[in-house]
Amino acid sequence: MSTPRTLRNSRASFLSRRGLLAAGGALGAGALLTACGGGGSKGATDGDSDSASGPWTFKDDRGETAKASRTPKKVVAFTGTAAALHDFGVECTAVFGPTVLKGGKPDPQAGDLDVGKLTVLGNAWGEFNVEKYAALSPELLVTNMIQGTELWYVPDESKKKILGFAPSIGINVSKVSLTHVIGRYAELAASLGADLKAKQVTDAKTRFEKASETLRKAAQASKGLKVMAASGSADLLYVSDPGVYADLAYFKSLGVDFVTPDKVTGGFFESLSWENAGKYAADLILLDNRTSALQPKDLAAKPTWAGLPAVKAGQVSPWLSEPRYSYAGCAPLVEALAEAVQKAKKAA
């Protein structure tokens, strides 16, 4: 959800599921219209910024409770996680995961983070500078969980050492709705001192809710429009299971009619050779737009891709399969999908 960031030829056959997802298999991980979620936290409530004075705890989605004598301030997080916390008003000290593109521009997963002011412990799969992390005297590590209780982008080979420096929190982003994940991050942010009643947060939530209603109406009016979420590599087209990804599950709950692959392996997607890329009829394709996945211009030379009804109709829309789980991060994604559904016609 360790490998290079791109899938190349036959190398995909021996990538682990976890590495495959990180390298470019379609994954989104990816959320109730109110901030809600299981687990509990102590030390802050909505708008309580004085929580640093007492003991702090937060129960994560592993069922483990992170504890500290005071509210953590030196928070280190997966890039997308740090971006979500930033949207709620919590700043992280350092990040790990896709942060900066070639040329210095922020990776899409960095959201609105000022990457120039962040300590980057690793910019790709398998990278995590343990020594630099330790030197920060970290007080909390936070990341997503995509496969079971595995901490996303925390390398297996150094995991034990990394987790020895500070408490850690894992937030599950699979097989739950988008609003649930956003709610969990809102809860975590509040425990760290964020004010969930701040205008930037409430405005973002209002925008998200409005976009969701627009998508609901667009889906109702689409008259059987079939949507397929997918990711492309050199050898394979990955057709995503909408029940696994938090964003797709939410879109489906709003009425979007997704292709559901019937031979999912590894729990996330069906892998189709390019010869079989036309197995599922779709009018609109949501194509994974992470830097690790092939884009339409990269796929144009593949005859079976060019021959897909949605591609021939020009109905391919970008899909950020690893969104940042905040209202601010997800509202534009919902808006973009609503617009794509509104414009799309039956093609298959």
Side-chain angles (χ1 to χ4, degrees):
M1 196 167 20
S2 72
T3 63
R5 286 171 57 87
T6 54
L7 296 173
R8 298 298 184 193
N9 305 319
S10 61
R11 297 187 66 184
S13 64
F14 62 81
L15 290 172
S16 67
R17 282 190 296 142
R18 188 167 181 251
L20 176 60
L21 292 166
L27 181 65
L32 308 170
L33 293 180
T34 56
C36 64
S41 61
K42 182 170 65 178
T45 58
D46 288 11
D48 178 5
S49 60
D50 298 323
S51 57
S53 59
W56 174 90
T57 66
F58 188 90
K59 187 176 182 180
D60 76 355
D61 292 340
R62 296 172 296 182
E64 298 182 10
T65 299
K67 300 178 181 179
S69 59
R70 62 184 180 89
T71 302
K73 294 299 180 186
K74 294 183 179 180
V75 180
V76 175
F78 171 66
T79 303
T81 295
L85 290 174
H86 168 83
D87 292 338
F88 283 114
V90 174
E91 303 302 333
C92 292
T93 300
V95 298
F96 55 93
T99 307
V100 183
L101 301 173
K102 290 181 179 179
K105 291 185 178 180
D107 187 278
Q109 292 193 62
D112 293 331
L113 292 174
D114 185 346
V115 296
K117 294 182 179 180
L118 285 171
T119 297
V120 180
L121 302 176
N123 197 52
W125 184 256
E127 294 181 0
F128 195 112
N129 191 318
V130 181
E131 290 72 22
K132 187 182 290 187
Y133 176 63
L136 293 171
S137 299
E139 297 175 334
L140 182 67
L141 182 145
V142 189
T143 188
N144 294 329
M145 296 190 303
I146 292 169
Q147 287 182 289
T149 59
E150 293 183 6
L151 298 177
W152 194 229
Y153 269 80
V154 176
D156 289 336
E157 59 271 19
S158 53
K159 176 181 176 180
K160 185 175 181 180
K161 188 172 183 179
I162 291 169
L163 298 185
F165 292 107
S168 62
I169 287 174
I171 300 295
N172 175 47
V173 300
S174 296
K175 298 182 180 180
V176 291
S177 181
L178 183 62
T179 45
H180 175 82
V181 185
I182 293 175
R184 286 295 278 151
Y185 271 114
E187 183 183 5
L188 174 59
S191 83
L192 294 172
D195 179 4
L196 299 188
K197 296 177 182 178
K199 189 176 187 300
Q200 67 177 35
V201 178
T202 58
D203 284 355
K205 183 179 178 183
T206 298
R207 180 182 174 185
F208 176 85
E209 292 173 346
K210 181 179 179 181
S212 297
E213 186 57 29
T214 300
L215 177 57
R216 187 193 303 277
K217 291 178 180 178
Q220 290 174 344
S222 65
K223 299 179 181 180
L225 190 80
K226 205 73 175 179
V227 181
M228 181 172 73
S231 182
S233 75
D235 293 330
L236 300 168
L237 178 69
Y238 304 96
V239 180
S240 300
D241 181 351
V244 175
Y245 300 82
D247 57 343
L248 301 184
Y250 182 61
F251 302 152
K252 185 176 181 180
S253 76
L254 294 176
V256 178
D257 187 7
F258 279 100
V259 167
T260 300
D262 55 25
K263 292 186 179 179
V264 174
T265 56
F268 294 93
F269 44 75
E270 179 174 353
S271 303
L272 299 176
S273 65
W274 281 109
E275 290 78 7
N276 296 312
K279 178 178 178 179
Y280 299 107
D283 306 299
L284 172 65
I285 295 175
L286 304 184
L287 189 67
D288 185 353
N289 72 343
R290 291 178 299 170
T291 53
S292 55
L294 298 185
Q295 301 307 303
K297 61 181 176 58
D298 306 314
L299 299 171
K302 295 184 180 296
T304 50
W305 167 260
L308 293 177
V311 177
K312 290 169 68 175
Q315 295 177 171
V316 178
S317 185
W319 173 41
L320 184 60
S321 63
E322 285 188 68
R324 71 186 200 263
Y325 296 100
S326 66
Y327 295 115
C330 291
L333 307 183
V334 182
E335 291 169 345
L337 178 57
E339 183 177 1
V341 171
Q342 289 169 338
K343 290 182 177 180
K345 307 295 183 183
K346 288 290 292 182

